[in-house]
Amino acid sequence: MPEEEKHLDTLLTENRTFTPSEAFKARANVNDPNIYERAAADPEAYWAEEAKNITWFRPYNKILKWDPPHAEWFVGGKLNAAYNCVDRHREGSRKNKAALIWEGEPGDSQVLTYDMLGREVDKAAHMLSNLGVKKGDRVAVYLPMIPELPISLLACAKLGAIHTVVFGGFSSKSLQERIVDADAKLVITADAGWRGGKPLPLKANADEAVAGTSVEHVLVVDRVGEQAKAEKNPDRDVSWHELIAKQPSTPFPAEEMDTEDVLYLLYTSGTTGKPKGVTHTTGGYMVGVNNSMRTVFDLKDEDVFFCTADIGWVTGHTYIVYGPLSAGATTVMYEGAPNYPDRDRFWDIVEKYGVTTFYTAPTSIRTFMKWGPEYVEKHNLDSLRLLGTVGEPINPEAWMWFHKYIGKEKAPIVDTWWQTETGCAMIAPLPGITATKPGSATKPVPGISVDVVDHDGHSVEPGNGGSLVITKPWPSMLRTIWGDDERFRNTYFGDFPGIYLPGDGAHKDEDNYVWILGRMDDVINVSGHRIGTAEVESALVSHSSVAESAVIGRSHEVKGQAITAFVTLKEGVTSGDEIIKELKQVVVNQIGAIARPEELVLTNELPKTRSAKIMRRLLRDIAEGRDIGNTTTLADPSVVESLQAAFKR
Ligand code: WTA
């Protein structure tokens, strides 16, 4: 059985379908199944209708200009994302409603109403402007999950600067690569953030990262204080707290942005070593994310929305910041680890703030399962009415556990498939309409057209698998890869002209439901985070003792996939635990702790074909303990046995 089908086999162990309850359906924002057909009949008209939920300073004159692979949405329209997320709510009945509920790991917390958030964003925009940041400049944001993070993003948006958030778990080298590629002028960071009861230092990494770059200032938030001991560089560093206190309390005028002006860059891993600067623009992104809140997440004014992602990833951008705030919701953000001080922290937060909608990753659910239901049962979760998952295929077992222990068998689950590049959920149930099947993200949302195709781009019959594609442009799609339009073209539109290729394999069932099988390229999905095998390999071979390396993703009970590295050392280098430890650390230093290989296997040789191609599929079979069939295509079949033995050790 080919690997993909085997995977599917395990996916299909739960065959039940779950239909929305009458009670949920009756109150749902969207409960007329006709919406699918209506949107499919005229997607542009559908999106134009949705665009009415965004406030435009100047109306657009054309819905879509599609010059594949380049799309422009709401052509000629002017708007401001921060105005849409904050100011327009301040002017109306939501003025004193909680916009952001923030919970710090040590137990400190803050509630900012829309009016308060607006004042903070205005002050921060004045501050950035006084530091010389102008419309179109790039600002790198390397912050822990503290209120200054969304405030920074909104302040950039308010004045028209382009933010690029770098996840705090990335190393100084990764940060530097992104700063250089984006040519950022300013870096916003903090001394450290709290994670698992310990300070996670950021400022020291930022210092290393900015050396020799175009960065003029490093704006530093004091989060941890004494225990973090960040060095200060008087020529370059400025203190957030000192500066913000000096800003005028007058509103900062929202810059009139063109619909296609860039809102943000977010770097993501690809098949080659260099991360790609996924570029999102203003109008289409805002329409897409706002629509997603109302349709997929059935958002109501009284909802309290808790997305457990980090704002360092796209899920946090869309479903902590821009989505919920544009819709005028209350968004909850938590700084730290889910098991600090104990394993019930998320449930404590749900109970404390009356969270209604809880959005997390399958890897977290598998962790909760391992910890056991007793942590959940300590809390009253009655406020929860809708659950969501994202980041990787969810195994039916985890789906059922989520349904039973968190959703109490009444809250619908929306399994949302999407990517950094797509901006918001593309394949997901509408909770008041769509029957769900555990393990399937179900169907494309209204206004989105997807298909599963074979090598020639032909639609596969129900019951078959192939490549997932998105066949029509959509508002929140990436517009390019920053500074590399050629790569944008080749990566996403190179196979089938005008058709977007996400890089995921999928299967279509009898009901035309989509089952995502995972990446088809050399990208590993570790706990829902994308890591390119090429990035890890180049980190390893940068070490003077390494001759060659091959990195693969093997299936992992909790993480979904784990990184396994096979390394051959240069002649004369002593192998042993010492070097293994050192090499793992090289990866941590070069990329970040999220890319630390789970196993690193030293081997005299890597399995290669006679034309000297490394056989990754075979390495995956070895790492997953599968039988190795025919090895006659190998240059040296004995390599397999020695690798199997090495892996067992
Ligand atoms: C995977 C995260 C199955 C997929 C929003 C995609 C999923 C990659 C799902 C994007 C899902 C995301 N079911 N697989 N519900 N959601 N993926 O850019 O392989 O960090 O291509 O965006 O995650 O990861 P990214």
Side-chain angles (χ1 to χ4, degrees), residues 268 313-315 359 389-394 415-421 427 441 502-504 516-519 525 528-530:
T268 187
W313 309 106
V314 75
T315 305
Y359 189 32
T389 72
V390 60
E392 44 170 330
I394 182 164
D415 173 355
T416 61
W417 176 89
W418 59 294
Q419 307 179 294
T420 308
E421 293 87 338
I427 306 177
D504 277 18
I516 306 291
L517 302 170
R519 304 288 310 182
N525 189 329
H529 302 147
R530 277 159 76 173

Side-chain angles (χ1 to χ4, degrees), residues 511-531:
D511 301 321
N512 266 319
Y513 272 38
V514 179
W515 298 74
I516 306 291
L517 302 170
R519 304 288 310 182
M520 295 174 81
D521 52 11
D522 292 324
V523 172
I524 309 180
N525 189 329
V526 187
S527 304
H529 302 147
R530 277 159 76 173
I531 313 271

Side-chain angles (χ1 to χ4, degrees), residues 396-453:
E397 206 193 343
W399 197 102
M400 291 305 296
W401 192 92
F402 202 33
H403 174 68
K404 181 170 176 197
Y405 290 101
I406 311 301
K408 313 294 181 197
E409 297 183 349
K410 66 175 209 309
I413 298 178
V414 290
D415 173 355
T416 61
W417 176 89
W418 59 294
Q419 307 179 294
T420 308
E421 293 87 338
T422 69
C424 62
M426 298 281 105
I427 306 177
L430 297 184
I433 298 178
T434 322
T436 53
K437 303 184 189 186
S440 168
T442 74
K443 304 197 270 185
V445 300
I448 301 296
S449 306
V450 313
D451 202 357
V452 180
V453 300

Side-chain angles (χ1 to χ4, degrees), residues 461-503:
E461 292 297 316
N464 291 319
S467 297
L468 182 68
V469 290
I470 306 180
T471 57
K472 291 199 173 84
W474 67 100
S476 65
M477 68 193 285
L478 82 165
R479 298 302 194 258
T480 188
I481 288 176
W482 185 254
D484 200 348
D485 198 57
E486 193 56 32
R487 193 173 176 198
F488 164 69
R489 233 173 235 286
N490 295 338
T491 309
Y492 305 108
F493 294 91
D495 288 22
F496 316 113
I499 305 277
Y500 174 85
L501 187 78

